[in-house]
Amino acid sequence: MGLIMIDFRTTFRLANVSTGALLLAACVNPSAKIATSLEGYGFQPAQSQCVGDRLEANLSIGQLQQLGRAAKASRQGDTTPGRLTIDDFVRVSGQVKDAKVPLEVGKAAAACRLMTDPASPL
């Protein structure tokens, strides 16, 4: 019976490790997701990746999810859905009920030179 208990515990631990790995794999790299979204709105790849990296480093997954939901909601009914300015991005971040989000978005935008025309090269 002791052998069955060890096997059960081992199996249970392996199942927990596998579940954790699947959950981790299911979380798309936030930096890459942000960069892809910004590129879709016309920002340069290097600028987009820079912002993505900074936001991933300075915001929690929950904060990033809130920012993503706010961005998505702000684009509903938009007549120019393929265009996003840095002003739009900062304004959307201010809709998140967490003061750190717009602060970090502004810092990332400035550090990554998004304060200029998004279509201009770095």
Side-chain angles (χ1 to χ4, degrees):
M1 184 154 211
L3 183 60
I4 293 173
M5 191 60 118
I6 291 171
D7 287 340
F8 175 76
R9 287 182 184 162
T10 301
T11 302
F12 183 75
R13 285 184 189 138
L14 288 174
N16 281 340
V17 169
S18 296
T19 301
L22 286 174
L23 288 174
L24 185 60
C27 295
V28 175
N29 179 344
S31 178
K33 189 171 183 177
I34 293 165
T36 300
S37 294
L38 290 176
E39 285 178 45
Y41 289 123
F43 291 99
Q44 296 294 314
Q47 289 173 310
S48 300
Q49 189 61 54
C50 177
V51 170
D53 290 345
R54 287 178 175 274
L55 293 181
E56 180 179 7
N58 295 312
L59 295 176
S60 70
I61 294 295
Q63 290 167 319
L64 291 171
Q65 289 171 337
Q66 290 176 46
L67 178 59
R69 285 191 296 271
K72 183 177 179 181
S74 75
R75 304 309 285 178
Q76 290 178 343
D78 192 343
T79 58
T80 57
R83 182 80 170 139
L84 179 77
T85 67
I86 188 54
D87 292 337
D88 295 333
F89 191 39
V90 171
R91 182 179 34 76
V92 165
S93 71
Q95 295 173 0
V96 175
K97 303 283 190 252
D98 184 329
K100 186 175 181 183
V101 174
L103 175 67
E104 292 301 333
V105 167
K107 287 170 42 178
C112 299
R113 297 177 41 199
L114 285 185
M115 295 304 182
T116 60
D117 182 339
S120 69
L122 282 176

